[in-house]
Amino acid sequence: MSDLFQNHAAKSGPVECLGQTFPSDEARREHYLKLLAEKLKDPAFRKIEGFPIGSDEDILALSDPPYYTACPNPFIEDFVKTHGRPYQSAEKYSKEPFTSDVSEGKNDPIYTAHSYHTKVPHKAIMRYILHYTMPGDFVLDGFAGTGMTGVAARLCGDKAVVESLGYRVDQNKNILAPTSDSKGAAWTIFSKLGERHAILNDLSTAATYISHNYNSPIDVDAVDARASDVIRRIETEFGWMFQTLHQPTDDQINLALSEIEASSHPHLTGRIGRINYTVWSDAFSCPECASEIIYWDTAVDKVDYQVKDEFDCPSCGKHLGKKSLDRLFVTQIDPVTGEERRSVKRRPALIHYSVGKSYFTKRPDAADLALIEKIEALPVTRYVPSESIPKGDKTSDPLSVGITRQHHFYTRRNLEVLAAYRDFTRPLSYAFNLTSTAQVASLMYRFRSQNGSLGAGGGPMNGTLYVPSLIKEIPAIKLLKEHIEKTFRMKRLISSRGENVVSTGSMGKLYSVKDASGNHPPAKPGAFGM
């Protein structure tokens, strides 16, 4: 099971790639990985401006050549030669500037499959590509971000999507736009239905990784089935971490405590609820009496679940605001590094869970607390990212609460699930759902009440690494399942489309793309446009 995508690839049958036929997609991948590995040995190649910081092993693990390389892509020239055509001086190219207003929403399944801070809706980009290019042309996006230009280029061959933009497509695949010229014509031909090829580049490895997953050609149904198998395995191994007793008696709690103590992977008996989220609350100290204050218990109005600006200390009655409180810290041994770690003291304050189709909430009982303690005591057996958090403009907040390494951004049970999903998913170039889940599964997810609805709203704060005092911990299993559904809904919308290539590096030194003075004919004028 750990070779999720490799098993699929080996059984995929013959595939065409850049004019060559391979017995399987895995054979294609192995062939180009060997070529890329040889290229990485060239010192001059690694000195290219914008070459990412990373070992050969890491670059190869992320890459899926020739479609994507986590470094400057040395196969772009082959891609252009395979899909392009020589420039013909007799062909005239003239386009008026595109001047229409463009407005597109951000709720499309393709757009929402993975978040990114500078993402542009693909339908907005399609209008420009259709205006300036024809089927088979190349579109170069040197600052591609998550690759929406590539998605747009491919969907220019989808009749339904093109017509959703307000255009018409006739039986000859001409694309018509509404017009009101002096002749009174209602529709005018301005483009042709058909896929365009995209060359996508970005300096950010994270961006190009996401771009690759948006633009990579895969067998959607086969990979979807494999992903479901991985989720089932994860639920079997980690489902016990996200269970809670429903309205237990004292005897049932005592029985659960015995099970938790006796088993390394306890499965509680009785009516069991599946946790939807857990609210974790920071603990503070009253500046007047030094008693412990659980922020959720004291500062949150339990009627509308809004945080109060001012409240009274439950021990001494002192009128307080959050800024007057002193944070409480605990010192523990980091299970990953084995070092002492000083971090903010937190307590689980509320559990929202489901039994069947019904929802319930509860304060954590003794069994819930014992289960969390059991999880925290488990040895770390899989790789987790543990690099130190550097001091910088956006890192002061996590550092101030004791988050000094990458894995500190997660509760222990979410960390275990994400590590297992990474372990089960090969190659890493297709671990798309891991990166789409990582942020929302972290301690940056804020608990917020929206219009008095418990648990509505919230989410990580955009553009920051803010760690709130009330954290909404959503089970990583639940998040992975949701993101897998989004991913394959997206993939089905753009599957079986044309090929694009993704490169990682500086646009100023885009490797292997030659201008008109090169040794091969240039692409058709106007082909490189975005």
Side-chain angles (χ1 to χ4, degrees):
M1 190 66 68
S2 61
D3 55 348
L4 167 64
F5 293 97
Q6 286 178 341
N7 281 349
H8 148 66
K11 301 175 182 177
S12 64
V15 296
E16 295 284 337
C17 181
L18 300 189
Q20 297 186 70
T21 301
F22 297 92
S24 68
D25 197 53
E26 180 61 18
R28 180 274 307 170
R29 178 180 167 81
E30 289 181 359
H31 171 77
Y32 283 103
L33 279 175
K34 288 180 181 178
L35 294 179
L36 181 59
E38 287 299 314
K39 194 66 180 177
L40 289 172
K41 295 177 182 178
D42 180 0
F45 181 61
R46 296 191 69 96
K47 290 180 180 178
I48 294 174
E49 180 181 329
F51 198 97
I53 298 173
S55 67
D56 289 7
E57 181 182 7
D58 290 338
I59 290 172
L60 292 171
L62 284 175
S63 298
D64 184 30
Y67 304 117
Y68 165 57
T69 57
C71 64
N73 194 325
F75 307 106
I76 294 178
E77 183 176 358
D78 295 332
F79 176 75
V80 173
K81 285 182 177 179
T82 300
H83 297 290
R85 56 191 176 89
Y87 168 56
Q88 302 293 332
S89 60
E91 292 187 28
K92 302 300 181 182
Y93 179 86
S94 177
K95 285 286 185 179
E96 293 296 320
F98 185 83
T99 57
S100 299
D101 291 335
V102 174
S103 178
E104 292 291 343
K106 298 182 178 181
N107 295 319
D108 188 281
I110 293 175
Y111 185 92
T112 60
H114 202 299
S115 62
Y116 196 72
H117 53 286
T118 59
K119 183 179 287 188
V120 176
H122 64 282
K123 287 186 177 181
I125 305 171
M126 284 180 68
R127 297 179 185 275
Y128 293 92
I129 296 178
L130 289 171
H131 179 80
Y132 287 107
T133 70
M134 295 296 284
D137 281 353
F138 287 87
V139 180
L140 170 63
D141 190 341
F143 309 93
T146 56
M148 291 298 100
T149 295
V151 172
R154 294 164 73 180
L155 289 178
C156 286
D158 190 304
K159 181 174 181 287
V161 177
V162 170
E163 290 183 333
S164 74
L165 301 177
Y167 303 135
R168 287 183 180 176
V169 180
D170 67 17
Q171 61 183 2
N172 295 318
K173 296 186 178 182
N174 295 311
I175 301 176
L176 301 86
T179 183
S180 55
D181 60 23
S182 59
K183 298 179 181 179
W187 296 86
T188 300
I189 294 173
F190 77 99
S191 191
K192 197 88 171 178
L193 185 71
E195 298 162 6
R196 282 69 167 164
H197 303 295
I199 298 172
L200 308 169
N201 178 81
D202 202 279
L203 189 62
S204 165
T205 307
T208 59
Y209 173 81
I210 299 169
S211 178
H212 157 63
N213 279 273
Y214 265 115
N215 288 276
S216 59
I218 63 171
D219 183 334
V220 177
D221 292 331
V223 178
D224 191 1
R226 287 291 182 181
S228 297
D229 288 342
V230 167
I231 287 296
R232 281 192 290 270
R233 179 172 178 180
I234 286 176
E235 286 184 320
T236 299
E237 185 171 347
F238 301 104
W240 63 274
M241 295 182 176
F242 303 97
Q243 59 182 350
T244 187
L245 293 173
H246 175 58
Q247 299 175 349
T249 64
D250 289 343
D251 288 342
Q252 289 172 325
I253 290 177
N254 289 331
L255 178 59
L257 291 172
S258 299
E259 291 181 21
I260 293 169
E261 183 179 358
S263 174
S264 59
H265 294 76
H267 291 273
L268 307 184
T269 57
R271 293 196 71 188
I272 305 301
R274 181 185 291 268
I275 294 176
N276 299 316
Y277 65 83
T278 301
V279 177
W280 289 78
S281 172
D282 281 2
F284 294 88
S285 175
C286 173
E288 185 72 17
C289 67
S291 63
E292 181 173 297
I293 295 176
I294 303 300
Y295 194 59
W296 170 268
D297 294 341
T298 305
V300 176
D301 188 320
K302 301 308 185 295
V303 176
D304 60 7
Y305 295 98
Q306 298 293 323
V307 177
K308 296 178 285 188
D309 292 331
E310 296 181 335
F311 42 87
D312 295 333
C313 172
S315 298
C316 70
K318 173 73 173 179
H319 200 59
L320 302 168
K322 185 180 180 183
K323 290 184 179 179
S324 65
L325 300 175
D326 298 319
R327 287 190 182 275
L328 291 180
F329 287 80
V330 294
T331 300
Q332 299 170 313
I333 298 298
D334 187 326
V336 176
T337 65
E339 302 170 348
E340 280 193 353
R341 177 198 169 200
R342 183 175 181 268
S343 61
V344 162
K345 185 177 184 179
R346 296 189 184 93
R347 291 286 181 266
L350 178 80
I351 297 175
H352 184 283
Y353 66 100
S354 301
V355 177
K357 296 182 179 180
S358 299
Y359 297 106
F360 302 91
T361 60
K362 62 182 285 190
R363 289 184 64 87
D365 55 40
D368 296 313
L369 299 177
L371 193 65
I372 291 172
E373 186 177 350
K374 184 83 171 185
I375 296 167
E376 295 290 337
L378 291 174
V380 176
T381 58
R382 290 186 171 94
Y383 166 82
V384 297
S386 58
E387 285 75 10
S388 296
I389 305 296
K391 291 183 178 180
D393 181 48
K394 301 295 183 182
T395 60
S396 59
D397 189 79
L399 290 173
S400 70
V401 297
I403 295 177
T404 60
R405 293 182 176 272
Q406 291 178 349
H407 63 285
H408 296 164
F409 275 104
Y410 301 93
T411 61
R412 183 60 193 282
R413 52 191 173 187
N414 272 359
L415 187 67
E416 288 287 338
V417 171
L418 295 175
Y421 186 81
R422 178 192 182 279
D423 196 29
F424 296 158
T425 307
R426 291 290 187 273
L428 284 179
S429 59
Y430 287 108
F432 185 63
N433 299 295
L434 182 62
T435 56
S436 62
T437 300
Q439 186 181 31
V440 290
S442 74
L443 300 179
M444 293 187 289
Y445 202 113
R446 299 166 294 163
F447 172 87
R448 294 180 66 187
S449 174
Q450 184 171 300
N451 300 323
S453 176
L454 180 64
M461 186 179 292
N462 290 334
T464 74
L465 295 175
Y466 174 68
V467 180
S469 293
L470 295 175
I471 295 165
K472 184 176 180 180
E473 179 207 15
I474 305 175
I477 297 176
K478 180 175 183 290
L479 291 170
L480 283 170
K481 291 173 69 175
E482 292 172 354
H483 282 274
I484 286 172
E485 290 175 4
K486 284 184 180 181
T487 297
F488 289 108
R489 188 161 65 247
M490 173 269 291
K491 276 293 187 182
R492 288 190 174 91
L493 291 173
I494 58 177
S495 63
S496 301
R497 307 294 174 188
E499 295 178 351
N500 297 329
V501 289
V502 183
S503 181
T504 308
S506 170
M507 177 56 193
K509 299 290 183 180
L510 189 58
Y511 188 76
S512 81
V513 175
K514 301 178 181 179
D515 59 21
S517 64
N519 296 322
H520 64 272
K524 174 184 171 183
F528 291 88
M530 295 183 67

